[in-house]
Amino acid sequence: MPEILLVEDDAALAKGVARAIAAEGRHITICGTLGAARRALERPADLILLDIGLPDGNGLTLCKELRLTSRMPVIFLTANDTEEDEIAGFCAGGDDYITKPFRLSVLRARVDAALRRAGCEDVLLIDGFRFDFAHADFSRDGKQISLSRSEQKLLYALVSARGRIVPRETLLDRIWTDGLEYVDENALSVTVRRLRQKLGKAYIQTVYGVGYRWENANA
């Protein structure tokens, strides 16, 4: 269930792109400025779709910043269509360069390919566990494990960032994303407790006052 950041100041286009690349389990965050994108990137992401001409700066700058610390795939979506523009995008660290207007089917295929190359697969094998998020199929040593939708979202958020702390606020945002009502933080504690009962207490570690962290048994 990849986390995708879409940085595009054209709201209508951003909404169309988000619909085109949406798939079961994918979480897509839309930002209209570089500032908003930098704040969003405080949380782990698996891929960024990045416009170059933004209201508060140049997407090339953000890509160069990312390359100082991350190999996260970057796909530029831009109206800048000269050969020099494309070369500048790759020199800044971009993995792909798509000029506007583009076909959404082509964009979807390139996003899928970039995620596959980055290893953002929906099946994870960890300590005897088999987590198939695409098909909601979970087991350990061949024995099935039944997980609720909230438990699946929590599990993915933790194992995709394994070894790193995931703040409570981030988990609340990712698990209960409909925004229709206030979610009591106790709901997260209850979901963590239930997931521990099903998977074992050792894997999900509490970092008091901050959040939770997944640690493999052989880490």
Side-chain angles (χ1 to χ4, degrees), residues 180-199:
L180 297 178
E181 58 183 353
Y182 171 77
V183 177
D184 191 323
E185 284 200 11
N186 186 56
L188 176 58
S189 299
V190 170
T191 305
V192 169
R193 183 171 66 251
R194 290 175 177 169
L195 191 58
R196 280 173 170 159
Q197 290 171 347
K198 296 178 179 181
L199 303 182

Side-chain angles (χ1 to χ4, degrees), residues 108-184:
R108 184 166 52 245
R110 292 195 180 188
V111 167
D112 291 346
L115 290 171
R116 284 196 302 272
R117 288 194 299 270
C120 302
E121 300 174 348
D122 283 330
V123 178
L124 295 175
L125 303 175
I126 302 172
D127 283 357
F129 289 109
R130 184 179 186 277
F131 301 143
D132 183 347
F133 292 95
H135 301 95
D137 184 20
F138 307 94
S139 62
R140 186 176 193 184
D141 299 327
K143 184 177 180 180
Q144 292 298 120
I145 303 171
S146 177
L147 300 180
S148 70
R149 188 64 183 144
S150 295
E151 291 164 356
Q152 293 175 37
K153 290 182 178 181
L154 171 61
L155 175 61
Y156 185 81
L158 293 173
V159 297
S160 61
R162 51 192 177 277
R164 304 194 304 273
I165 300 170
V166 185
R168 290 182 63 89
E169 295 76 11
T170 298
L171 292 172
L172 285 167
D173 180 59
R174 292 188 184 179
I175 298 169
W176 292 279
T177 56
D178 53 30
L180 297 178
E181 58 183 353
Y182 171 77
V183 177
D184 191 323

Side-chain angles (χ1 to χ4, degrees), residues 83-98:
E83 182 178 344
E84 290 77 12
D85 291 326
E86 189 169 350
I87 291 172
F90 285 113
C91 287
D95 297 273
D96 204 347
Y97 194 98
I98 303 176

